[in-house]
Amino acid sequence: MTRPMTALCEVCEEQPSRFGLGFPLAPNALPGLPDYLRGECLWICTQSECDLAAQRRAVKAAARSGVKLSKVWRVHVFDQPQFKE
């Protein structure tokens, strides 16, 4: 299950989080993905460096489980951010 949004980006730990980047929750969306990774994500800011670092982490985590990741799922938050700047 996806964790609640964090106040700060989990990559740079400086900017407020704006969306999540990670793995799908549905079992048929990515066959072979271990249950412990389903729905997991990193909450990140809008900086491209953080986005790329989070994508690399997701690819590596999937590879450790023997899954070749062809895309990374985004968790968008459509309401106001949970945390004020």
Side-chain angles (χ1 to χ4, degrees):
M1 193 65 158
T2 302
R3 296 174 291 114
M5 180 184 267
T6 59
L8 294 177
C9 173
E10 293 184 281
V11 176
C12 70
E13 299 179 347
E14 296 173 357
Q15 301 295 319
S17 296
R18 292 293 181 235
F19 62 92
L21 193 140
F23 302 102
L25 188 55
N28 60 349
L30 189 57
L33 187 69
D35 288 341
Y36 71 90
L37 286 178
R38 293 207 179 278
E40 284 300 315
C41 73
L42 283 176
W43 293 104
I44 61 173
C45 64
T46 57
Q47 295 184 90
S48 59
E49 301 86 21
C50 293
D51 190 284
L52 291 172
Q55 288 183 46
R56 284 192 299 271
R57 287 185 190 181
V59 168
K60 287 179 182 178
R64 282 192 298 272
S65 301
V67 176
K68 183 174 169 115
L69 198 61
S70 59
K71 74 175 191 175
V72 179
W73 283 258
R74 293 185 186 277
V75 178
H76 294 278
V77 179
F78 294 104
D79 295 330
Q80 293 293 327
Q82 290 178 308
F83 304 96
K84 303 226 183 238
E85 296 176 24

